[in-house]
């Protein structure tokens, strides 16, 4: 399949590398308003470069387009590409508001094209292990959980581009970094019922938040805390998810939530647990999540099934972030309104 990338910043390199590792996939073109941003892809992958997306669509045979632009541009590009009958891989978040998200989803449905949102952490070995433990009900009834992202994004990071840290085009730590962990909480624990949150901008000179503390009550009754920050000195400190059940406790953690930090399950011996921990330590990253997500999109197209991460799931986690923001703004709990059934695999 022929791929194109729109937006040639940092994250686009992960897409390009992933495409190059997949048999039968080829990066044929890239598009960016800044011509110098595309030089790497021309030299490294032989891609044709365009500063105008209409020219690229007219001149190239493209099956799938990866949208890697600032988040505020996702919606307009996705609708345009869907109308051009291109399958779409869009970086998180799917959009910056629910109206734009609906436009994307409807355009893809109307044009019968596939849509997936980039949440590659689902493919990490330790995350897949945790999901299997939950699916097999090894922890029993879940009482509560917590997700933590205490990272460093210094002022230089935000000063790289004018759109970084803005509410219109980027968002803060919750929308940008912790959205992956929120996606995992939804994947693990199901639909939220109510949220409450405090947001603050403490240390970074940005419009959006650099610290967020929140609580989720799930429809199942599970309670979860969410702590996120981009203010930690001097580097990433912790990314973790902990789940507490009646028959066990599991924590995945480290600076990037790659390791099995704690596991106790009724009936499992210490030697069994140590073997699981060691299996994760040997290859904590596994196959890159971007590669597996793109491979899944190819399989979904060929077999006419939904991608593993659907547009509706992208909408669900975006709504959760927006409800956190609304709660912080109003200082009130926010009911997670059941607008429609979401597709959750």
């Amino acid at each position: 399949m022929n791929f194109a990338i729109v937006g040639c910043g940092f994250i686009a390199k992960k897409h390009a590398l992933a495409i190059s590792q997949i048999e039968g996939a080829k990066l044929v073109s890239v598009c960016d308003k800044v011509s110098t941003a595309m030089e790497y892809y021309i030299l490294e992958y032989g891609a044709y470069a365009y500063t105008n997306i209409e020219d690229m669509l007219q001149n190239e045979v493209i099956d799938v387009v990866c949208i890697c632009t600032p988040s505020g541009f996702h919606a307009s590009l996705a609708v345009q590409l869907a109308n051009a009958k291109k399958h779409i891989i869009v970086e998180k978040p799917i959009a910056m508001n629910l109206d734009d998200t609906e436009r994307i989803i409807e355009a893809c449905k109307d044009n019968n094209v596939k849509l997936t949102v980039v949440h590659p952490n689902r493919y990490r070995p330790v995350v897949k292990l945790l999901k299997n433990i939950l699916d097999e009900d090894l922890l029993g009834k879940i009482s509560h959980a917590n997700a933590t992202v205490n990272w460093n994004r210094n002022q230089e990071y935000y000063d790289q581009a004018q759109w970084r840290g803005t509410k219109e085009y980027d968002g803060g730590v919750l929308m940008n970094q912790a959205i992956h962990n929120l996606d995992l909480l939804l994947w693990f624990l199901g639909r939220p019922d109510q949220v409450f949150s405090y947001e603050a901008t403490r240390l970074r000179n940005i419009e959006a938040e650099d610290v967020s503390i929140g609580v989720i009550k799930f429809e199942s009754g599970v309670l979860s805390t969410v702590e996120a920050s981009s203010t930690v000195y001097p580097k990433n400190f912790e990314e973790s998810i902990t789940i507490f059940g009646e028959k066990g406790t599991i924590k995945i953690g480290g600076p990037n939530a790659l390791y099995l930090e704690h596991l106790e399950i009724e009936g499992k011996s210490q030697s069994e647990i140590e073997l699981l921990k060691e299996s994760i330590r040997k290859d904590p990253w596994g196959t890159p999540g971007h590669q597996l997500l793109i491979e899944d999109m190819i399989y979904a197209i060929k077999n006419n099934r939904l991608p593993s991460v659907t547009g509706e799931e992208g909408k669900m986690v975006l709504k959760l972030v927006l409800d956190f923001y609304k709660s912080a703004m109003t200082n009130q709990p926010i009911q997670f309104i059941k607008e429609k059934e979401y597709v959750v695999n």
Side-chain angles (χ1 to χ4, degrees):
M1 289 191 182
N2 288 345
F3 283 77
I5 295 174
V6 179
C8 292
F10 166 77
I11 202 64
K13 291 185 178 180
K14 290 191 175 185
H15 287 255
L17 178 59
I19 292 164
S20 74
Q21 298 300 306
I22 300 170
E23 185 177 354
K26 182 180 180 181
L27 179 63
V28 297
S29 59
V30 291
C31 183
D32 197 291
K33 290 182 177 180
V34 181
S35 58
T36 54
M38 297 183 283
E39 291 175 356
Y40 168 80
Y41 304 91
I42 298 168
L43 296 172
E44 187 72 18
Y45 301 103
Y48 288 94
Y50 295 87
T51 55
N52 183 289
I53 193 169
E54 289 80 11
D55 291 342
M56 183 181 77
L57 293 172
Q58 183 176 351
N59 295 330
E60 302 292 339
V61 178
I62 299 165
D63 300 297
V64 186
V65 180
C66 301
I67 300 177
C68 301
T69 63
S71 305
F73 297 105
H74 287 179
S76 58
L77 287 168
V79 170
Q80 180 181 7
L81 291 166
N83 289 336
K85 310 297 183 183
K86 308 303 176 187
H87 303 288
I88 296 168
I89 298 172
V90 60
E91 271 292 336
K92 57 74 190 170
I94 184 171
M96 296 301 291
N97 60 68
L98 295 179
D99 287 342
D100 280 348
T101 301
E102 285 290 353
R103 289 200 300 123
I104 294 171
I105 292 172
E106 290 305 314
C108 290
K109 287 179 180 177
D110 291 345
N111 290 282
N112 195 29
V113 296
K114 306 295 183 187
L115 168 67
T116 194
V117 186
V118 178
H119 284 291
N121 293 15
R122 292 191 188 193
Y123 293 98
R124 290 177 177 176
V126 73
V127 170
K128 290 191 287 186
L129 173 64
L130 198 165
K131 185 69 163 69
N132 289 337
I133 286 171
L134 291 171
D135 288 347
E136 294 173 16
D137 197 30
L138 296 182
L139 300 185
K141 184 177 181 180
I142 306 302
S143 63
H144 65 292
N146 62 57
T148 301
V149 183
N150 279 316
W151 278 1
N152 171 272
R153 294 294 183 269
N154 58 26
Q155 192 61 47
E156 288 75 18
Y157 166 85
Y158 291 106
D159 290 343
Q160 289 176 44
Q162 290 185 340
W163 55 268
R164 287 190 184 273
T166 64
K167 292 182 179 180
E168 183 176 3
Y169 294 107
D170 190 34
V173 66
L174 204 61
M175 184 75 82
N176 228 335
Q177 284 80 35
I179 193 169
H180 288 301
N181 308 83
L182 294 177
D183 171 70
L184 293 181
L185 284 181
L186 297 180
W187 197 41
F188 295 152
L189 302 174
R191 185 195 293 271
D193 177 52
Q194 194 176 77
V195 306
F196 183 81
S197 179
Y198 289 107
E199 318 291 335
T201 308
R202 295 290 297 163
L203 301 181
R204 306 295 176 238
N205 182 26
I206 57 174
E207 183 182 17
E209 83 288 350
D210 59 15
V211 177
S212 172
I213 305 291
V215 180
I216 305 170
K217 182 175 77 171
F218 288 87
E219 287 187 347
S220 63
V222 174
L223 302 178
S224 180
T225 58
V226 177
E227 176 186 356
S229 70
S230 58
T231 57
V232 176
Y233 179 85
K235 58 186 178 181
N236 289 0
F237 177 72
E238 178 186 11
E239 179 188 8
S240 66
I241 292 178
T242 310
I243 298 180
F244 302 90
E246 61 178 336
K247 296 189 292 185
T249 301
I250 184 168
K251 179 180 181 180
I252 61 174
N256 296 98
L258 292 173
Y259 300 98
L260 188 55
E261 287 201 340
H262 184 88
L263 178 63
E264 288 187 86
I265 296 176
E266 184 181 280
K268 278 201 179 292
S269 68
Q270 193 59 40
S271 60
E272 289 178 289
I273 289 170
E274 287 304 319
L275 283 174
L276 287 173
K277 288 183 177 180
E278 181 59 26
S279 70
I280 298 297
R281 280 195 293 265
K282 286 180 179 177
D283 187 16
W285 288 101
T287 302
H290 280 77
Q291 180 179 332
L292 293 173
L293 188 140
I294 292 170
E295 287 178 350
D296 176 77
M297 172 60 105
I298 293 171
Y299 189 85
I301 294 167
K302 288 183 175 180
N303 293 277
N304 194 28
R305 67 151 172 82
L306 287 172
S308 292
V309 186
T310 66
E312 293 287 357
E313 288 178 291
K315 176 183 174 181
M316 191 174 181
V317 69
L318 173 66
K319 177 166 170 43
L320 181 57
V321 171
L322 295 175
D323 281 355
F324 267 64
Y325 287 161
K326 185 176 180 181
S327 174
M329 186 180 300
T330 62
N331 199 32
Q332 296 290 330
I334 302 298
Q335 201 72 26
F336 196 87
I337 299 171
K338 300 177 185 178
E339 298 173 349
K340 63 166 69 174
E341 287 301 314
Y342 294 90
V343 177
V344 179
N345 295 318

